[in-house]
């Protein structure tokens, strides 16, 4: 596993920030870490990065324990904190050279050129970081996180404060950088998570309350809105896996099914057999926002 967390627990004084959190991330996964403010997201990322060393439970990065093998685990990791800690008086290329020297990167100038090209910093490389826009500062932060070619990237709110154009650019850059890497990505911008991630972890009050994939093949149920050409009898809806009927009108009904098989073909076949015509049929998708709100509000 690229990231392995088992019973991760952290207290700040009497405040419990993380409570027995466990999850694992495989290679080449882009996973979103969600949760309201104070949920424990940044604490979890700081532990994995080695910034916090006092905690309960276990944490590994690329097979290396972050407490027992801190230097080795850090060499496998690229980390962009929520508040991008750049040296503003340095020039972009100078700063990347400084980071390369810390990690003793082989052929540093070649690697710096590669990162400047990949991050789109060619026109900015000889500018002071202080003079850059927020979007370009984030590009510099991403370039330094990827400079040592790590197996794992941890990105804490990398799109915070960016305008819509910058969001699109940084999203594309993260997708490009993370093609063959494991990425743990935290954000409050739920559409960004939906666009970038294959899977989401939801933290709430220090607990892991959900671990969901975002592909449709793993859904545990369906909600279908069906409109017929005329009022329809209730007995028409005696179907496998049907758990609820919610009538919108005499001709329109909201049907909820459990199970993993899409029921729309069955609904259509039943309508034809009973002599009804379907005017419209629409599957309702659960959005990231629905998932996030449902899991966090229900536990307040």
């Amino acid at each position: 596993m690229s990231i392995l967390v088992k019973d991760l627990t952290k207290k700040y004084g009497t405040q419990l920030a993380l409570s027995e959190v466990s999850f694992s991330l495989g290679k080449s996964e882009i996973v979103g870490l969600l949760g309201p403010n104070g949920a424990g997201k940044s604490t979890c990322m700081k532990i994995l990065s080695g910034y916090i060393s006092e905690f309960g439970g276990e944490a590994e990065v690329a097979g290396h324990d972050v407490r027992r093998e801190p230097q080795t685990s850090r060499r496998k990791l690229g980390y962009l904190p929520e508040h991008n800690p750049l040296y503003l008086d340095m020039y972009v290329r100078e700063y990347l050279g400084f980071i390369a020297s810390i990690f003793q990167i082989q052929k540093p100038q070649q690697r710096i050129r590669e990162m400047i090209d990949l991050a789109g910093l060619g026109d900015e490389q000889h500018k002071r970081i202080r003079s850059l826009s927020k979007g370009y500062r984030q590009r510099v932060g991403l370039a330094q996180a990827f400079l040592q070619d790590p197996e794992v990237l941890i990105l804490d709110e990398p799109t915070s404060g960016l305008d819509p154009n910058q969001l699109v650019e940084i999203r594309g850059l993260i997708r490009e950088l993370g093609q063959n890497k494991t990425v743990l990505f935290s954000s409050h911008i739920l559409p960004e998570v939906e666009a970038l991630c294959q899977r989401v972890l939801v933290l709430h009050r220090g607990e892991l309350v959900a671990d969901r994939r975002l592909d449709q093949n793993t859904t545990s149920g369906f909600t279908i809105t069906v409109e017929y050409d005329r009022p329809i009898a209730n007995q028409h809806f005696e179907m496998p896996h049907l758990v609820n009927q919610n009538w919108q009108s005499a001709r329109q009904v909201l049907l909820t099914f459990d199970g993993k098989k899409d029921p729309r073909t069955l609904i259509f076949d039943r309508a034809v057999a009973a002599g009804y015509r379907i005017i419209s049929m629409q599957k309702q998708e659960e959005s990231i926002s629905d998932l996030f709100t449902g899991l966090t509000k229900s536990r307040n």
Side-chain angles (χ1 to χ4, degrees):
M1 289 295 172
S2 295
I3 292 178
L4 179 63
V5 166
K6 184 177 180 182
D7 298 328
L8 199 62
T9 301
K10 175 63 182 176
K11 281 187 176 181
Y12 296 103
T14 59
Q15 181 182 355
L16 186 63
L18 292 172
S19 177
E20 298 183 348
V21 171
S22 299
F23 62 85
S24 61
L25 274 62
K27 293 183 178 180
S28 302
E29 277 194 288
I30 300 181
V31 179
L33 185 62
L34 306 182
N37 289 331
K41 303 185 302 298
S42 292
T43 296
C44 182
M45 290 181 159
K46 288 176 180 177
I47 288 172
L48 288 168
S49 71
Y51 184 81
I52 294 175
S53 58
E54 297 293 327
F55 60 88
E58 302 174 18
E60 294 182 3
V61 172
H64 299 279
D65 189 286
V66 300
R67 272 187 300 215
R68 292 194 293 267
E69 305 171 272
Q71 296 300 325
T72 306
S73 65
R74 287 173 187 170
R75 288 187 179 277
K76 302 291 184 179
L77 176 73
Y79 177 46
L80 179 63
E82 180 179 2
H83 303 290
N84 193 354
L86 300 172
Y87 291 99
L88 301 183
D89 288 331
M90 280 187 166
Y91 297 93
V92 171
R93 195 178 188 92
E94 177 188 17
Y95 172 72
L96 294 177
F98 171 65
I99 299 299
S101 68
I102 291 175
F103 285 102
Q104 300 178 342
I105 292 174
Q106 300 297 315
K107 299 180 179 180
Q109 294 307 314
Q110 176 181 329
R111 185 61 180 166
I112 289 169
R113 284 195 298 272
E114 291 171 356
M115 288 301 96
I116 285 174
D117 290 342
L118 186 60
L121 290 166
D123 293 337
E124 318 299 323
Q125 62 181 304
H126 300 300
K127 294 181 180 179
R128 289 189 189 273
I129 295 173
R130 181 183 303 281
S131 69
L132 301 180
S133 67
K134 178 70 181 290
Y136 275 109
R137 290 187 189 186
Q138 290 298 86
R139 287 172 179 265
V140 175
L142 288 167
Q144 70 80 23
F146 204 72
L147 190 63
Q148 57 175 319
D149 195 20
E151 294 181 27
V152 178
L153 283 170
I154 293 182
L155 310 175
D156 194 356
E157 300 285 347
T159 58
S160 176
L162 302 184
D163 65 35
N165 290 331
Q166 292 169 338
L167 283 174
V168 173
E169 293 171 358
I170 296 300
R171 181 200 300 171
L173 180 56
I174 292 170
R175 190 179 289 113
E176 177 83 13
L177 293 177
Q179 280 184 350
N180 301 305
K181 310 294 176 184
T182 298
V183 181
L184 184 61
F185 170 80
S186 170
S187 179
H188 282 107
I189 306 172
L190 300 184
E192 288 300 303
V193 174
E194 198 162 17
L196 277 169
C197 300
Q198 303 140 348
R199 175 180 161 205
V200 293
L201 307 169
V202 183
L203 288 174
H204 185 50
R205 293 184 176 178
E207 297 183 355
L208 183 66
V209 296
D211 181 350
R212 303 275 184 90
R213 295 201 64 83
L214 300 184
D215 56 272
Q216 296 179 2
N217 294 329
T218 59
T219 184
S220 60
F222 295 86
T223 300
I224 312 291
T225 301
V226 188
E227 183 180 1
Y228 295 87
D229 63 332
R230 63 185 189 276
I232 191 164
N234 286 356
Q235 61 266 27
H236 173 69
F237 299 110
E238 294 175 359
M239 302 182 196
H241 301 289
L242 178 64
V243 295
N244 190 47
Q245 306 173 31
N246 185 4
W247 291 90
Q248 314 294 303
S249 70
R251 298 190 310 164
Q252 188 177 58
V253 63
L254 192 68
L255 303 174
T256 303
F257 295 80
D258 62 12
K260 295 184 178 181
K261 185 175 181 180
D262 191 328
R264 286 178 290 181
T265 299
L266 177 61
I267 294 170
F268 180 82
D269 290 343
R270 287 291 179 88
V272 171
Y276 293 101
R277 291 182 180 178
I278 292 177
I279 304 300
S280 67
M281 183 161 49
Q282 182 177 5
K283 182 171 72 169
Q284 308 295 316
E285 301 287 354
E286 182 184 47
S287 68
I288 290 291
S289 180
D290 295 333
L291 173 65
F292 180 85
T293 302
L295 288 169
T296 56
K297 279 196 171 183
S298 64
R299 289 169 169 80
N300 285 333

